[in-house]
């Protein structure tokens, strides 16, 4: 029987994770099977129990289960602890459940390794203040950026997230209409793109030589990717590379083998 892994969330039908992990498995010669499970938060413990009985060794957790997965994990990595959300579960044979969050490292690796973005000394703006943003703040700060501004439609949430990470460096929170100055990198971590919208941000906040990055992706350029292009960004990227990189980090946690991501990103773009 093959070692079993899966992604769990709602909706899950269009998840690219099975395709990505099967590609990693073929590339590295790891004999695994990777499935998708449609799941609701309140039933997560039941799914995990059943999954274990089928030789399930690990799960990727996506919307809306990341906070529930955080609660269920008996042990959590530092980055998951700070994020308050877990996207990777490791089901140990002795019954313990380890939780990690590979989203932030996925974003950082895509920008720095796949696109050669230099974080050091940069002024960064991140839009949104939900789970997606909480998952990336610590890994971003660890890259040596000089300032992080978190701007959100609901101001109080931006202020709360900024306060949670304040010990890591210069971080502040504000409303979308209160963004001032210019940024070397603007990251969209809002869910606005899901409804084809652009967060209500002013023009002229991208520095000369600035970059844009949308944590979302789609078959067509997202509204935010288009906005970045219109603002003259050197690069305006979507989150497909982040998706593959976070998957690679999960694969590494489970199998102790680091897959090549470039061919898989290329396959998905193709
Ligand atoms: P996730 O876990 O994906 O981050 P979430 O916790 O529901 O999801 O957070 C969604 C984020 O997208 C929030 O920051 C939300 O702003 P509010 O806190 O004001 O709700 C943001 N968002 C969603 N739709 C948006 C829109 N149309 N314009 C701007 N921000 C939006």
């Amino acid at each position: 029987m093959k070692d079993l892994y899966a992604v769990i969330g709602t909706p899950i039908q269009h998840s690219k994770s099975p395709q990505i992990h099967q590609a990693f498995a073929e590339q590295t010669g790891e004999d695994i099977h990777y499935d998708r499970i449609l799941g609701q938060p309140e039933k997560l413990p039941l799914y995990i129990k059943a999954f274990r009985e089928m030789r399930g060794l690990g799960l990727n957790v996506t919307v809306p289960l990341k906070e529930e997965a955080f609660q269920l994990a008996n042990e959590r990595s530092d980055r998951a602890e700070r994020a308050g959300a877990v996207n990777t579960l490791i089901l140990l044979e002795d019954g313990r459940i380890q939780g990690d969050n590979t989203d932030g490292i996925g974003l950082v690796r895509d920008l720095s390794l796949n696109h050669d973005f230099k974080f050091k000394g940069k002024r960064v703006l991140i839009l949104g203040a939900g789970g997606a943003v909480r998952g990336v703040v610590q890994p971003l700060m660890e890259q040596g950026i000089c300032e992080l501004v978190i701007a959100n439609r609901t101001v109080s949430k931006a202020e709360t997230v900024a306060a949670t990470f304040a010990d890591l460096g210069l971080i502040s929170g504000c409303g979308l209409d209160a963004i001032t100055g210019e940024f070397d990198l603007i990251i969209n971590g809002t869910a606005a793109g899901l409804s084809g919208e652009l967060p209500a941000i002013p023009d002229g906040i991208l520095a000369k030589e600035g970059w844009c990055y949308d944590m979302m992706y789609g078959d067509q350029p997202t509204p935010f990717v288009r906005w970045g292009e219109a603002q003259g960004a050197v690069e305006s990227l979507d989150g497909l590379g982040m998706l593959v990189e976070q998957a690679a980090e999960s694969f590494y946690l489970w199998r102790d083998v680091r897959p090549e991501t470039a061919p898989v990103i290329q396959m998905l773009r193709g």
Side-chain angles (χ1 to χ4, degrees):
M1 209 158 51
K2 290 189 181 198
D3 291 349
L4 185 62
Y5 298 86
V7 58
I8 183 164
T10 304
I12 207 65
Q13 203 179 343
H14 298 292
S15 169
K16 293 188 193 296
S17 293
Q19 205 184 343
I20 294 170
H21 282 277
Q22 289 300 345
F24 289 162
E26 276 164 34
Q27 183 202 105
T28 57
E30 295 288 304
D31 195 18
I32 68 160
H33 181 72
Y34 191 104
D35 238 322
R36 51 165 73 82
I37 304 170
L38 180 70
Q40 300 296 341
E42 60 280 5
K43 293 204 181 134
L44 190 58
L46 284 178
Y47 294 127
I48 292 177
K49 188 167 176 288
F51 189 64
R52 265 187 194 288
E53 283 163 8
M54 295 187 296
R55 201 176 160 73
L57 299 183
L59 286 163
N60 278 134
V61 181
T62 185
V63 177
L65 303 174
K66 290 185 186 183
E67 281 81 13
E68 190 68 21
F70 175 89
Q71 298 297 340
L72 276 177
N74 312 112
E75 295 166 15
R76 293 184 287 254
S77 68
D78 182 44
R79 58 194 180 189
E81 199 69 51
R82 292 298 296 238
V86 153
N87 80 332
T88 306
L89 290 172
I90 304 160
L91 309 179
L92 300 175
E93 283 191 14
D94 62 10
R96 280 177 304 138
I97 303 175
Q98 287 179 340
D100 205 337
N101 190 316
T102 65
D103 288 331
I105 195 74
L107 169 73
V108 163
R109 276 175 179 264
D110 188 37
L111 270 161
S112 59
L113 301 181
N114 300 334
H115 298 281
D116 205 25
F117 180 79
K118 308 279 187 241
F119 282 99
K120 213 158 183 59
K122 297 287 160 63
R123 190 161 187 251
V124 180
L125 170 67
I126 190 158
L127 309 171
V133 167
R134 284 202 317 272
V136 301
V137 172
Q138 181 181 2
L140 270 178
M141 294 308 291
E142 285 170 353
Q143 303 312 304
I145 63 173
C146 75
E147 183 182 358
L148 180 66
V149 175
I150 301 169
N152 192 45
R153 187 172 60 180
T154 309
V155 185
S156 58
K157 280 209 241 165
E159 288 169 345
T160 303
V161 176
T164 308
F165 293 95
D167 59 307
L168 300 181
L170 184 56
I171 308 181
S172 59
C174 68
L176 295 175
D177 55 359
I179 300 168
T180 53
E182 292 186 343
F183 297 86
D184 304 302
L185 172 64
I186 304 180
I187 300 166
N188 179 31
T190 72
L194 284 179
S195 39
E197 288 172 45
L198 182 71
I201 45 173
D203 289 337
I205 54 172
L206 185 67
K208 199 164 169 283
E209 308 287 308
W211 289 44
C212 288
Y213 195 100
D214 196 343
M215 286 164 63
M216 293 218 161
Y217 62 89
D219 294 337
Q220 301 296 321
T222 65
F224 182 75
V225 165
R226 286 214 180 92
W227 179 84
E229 287 165 355
Q231 299 296 309
V234 172
E235 297 257 19
S236 192
L237 304 164
D238 72 12
L240 189 71
M242 173 178 174
L243 176 77
V244 175
E245 292 295 339
Q246 65 78 28
E249 185 74 10
S250 297
F251 191 90
Y252 172 68
L253 291 172
W254 292 328
R255 309 299 298 184
D256 207 20
V257 182
R258 203 172 269 291
E260 294 267 347
T261 51
V264 180
I265 295 171
Q266 217 165 15
M267 172 190 81
L268 294 174
R269 293 255 184 242

